[in-house]
Amino acid sequence: MKKLHLYIFCIITIIIFPLLGYYIYYNWVDYDFTKVFINHKPLWMQLIVGVINGLIAAYIASQIILLDFMKPVYDKYSDIFTGLNLKWYDVIIISVCAGVGEEILFRGAIQPLFGIVLTSIFFVAIHGYLNPMNWRISIYGLYMTMVIILLGYLSQEYGIYTAIAAHTVIDIILLNYIKKPERF
């Protein structure tokens, strides 16, 4: 994969996913998509709760991917991202695009239709982390499923910006772990 392809995925995620979310929400949930963004709690509270939960979730995930038995998984993903020579700003852009676009689609539009648990399992599965042919990645996937379920509940209780903030923080931290050329 080239960095250009990664940026194309970012553009698709930040533009197409919210549009798809709008379409789904408008046609099957409610005609007023702005309800997705109406804050249950103040924005500052949503962001603080999201960042704190993102930091904790990313720390635990980083410890899982650094376990010895996870080395083949770490090496596979590290090889992909090391070749891209990502800079700090690339990591931020990728993480913000994924956090915003994916959460609007999944938390905003899909979760109201299928519930928190099914949406979370689907989300983790399409990322390839629930793979019955690879028990190592599935262990990581089970942990991430629990994290994504938590984000679903946080989004429902605090608001969508909580999930966006947590998702973005998780991606920033984990991309920084995985893009390094060697395990530490």
Side-chain angles (χ1 to χ4, degrees), residues 90-100 167-168 171-173 175:
D90 294 319
V91 169
I92 302 247
I93 291 168
I94 292 164
S95 300
V96 168
C97 288
V100 171
H167 187 151
T168 301
D171 283 4
I172 287 169
I173 292 171
L175 274 174

Side-chain angles (χ1 to χ4, degrees), residues 52-155:
I52 290 170
N53 280 278
L55 289 169
I56 294 167
Y59 174 76
I60 295 169
S62 70
Q63 297 310 297
I64 292 170
I65 63 175
L66 293 175
L67 294 171
D68 286 339
F69 77 87
M70 292 293 286
K71 187 172 181 350
V73 174
Y74 177 93
D75 290 345
K76 174 185 172 184
Y77 287 97
S78 182
D79 287 347
I80 292 168
F81 286 101
T82 300
L84 294 173
N85 192 27
L86 297 177
K87 307 294 184 215
W88 67 269
Y89 52 85
D90 294 319
V91 169
I92 302 247
I93 291 168
I94 292 164
S95 300
V96 168
C97 288
V100 171
E102 290 179 359
E103 293 303 329
I104 290 172
L105 174 60
F106 286 91
R107 298 290 159 231
I110 296 174
Q111 182 171 297
L113 292 172
F114 296 104
I116 292 170
V117 174
L118 285 178
T119 301
S120 300
I121 292 168
F122 177 65
F123 180 84
V124 175
I126 64 169
H127 281 78
Y129 298 136
L130 295 175
N131 181 348
M133 306 309 265
N134 185 337
W135 65 271
R136 287 178 174 94
I137 196 70
S138 293
I139 288 173
Y140 178 75
L142 289 174
Y143 169 71
M144 289 310 296
T145 300
M146 291 185 295
V147 168
I148 300 305
I149 289 171
L150 172 66
L151 294 187
Y153 283 110
L154 289 173
S155 180

Side-chain angles (χ1 to χ4, degrees), residues 43-55:
L43 180 60
W44 65 267
M45 185 183 293
Q46 289 186 59
L47 296 177
I48 289 172
V49 170
V51 167
I52 290 170
N53 280 278
L55 289 169

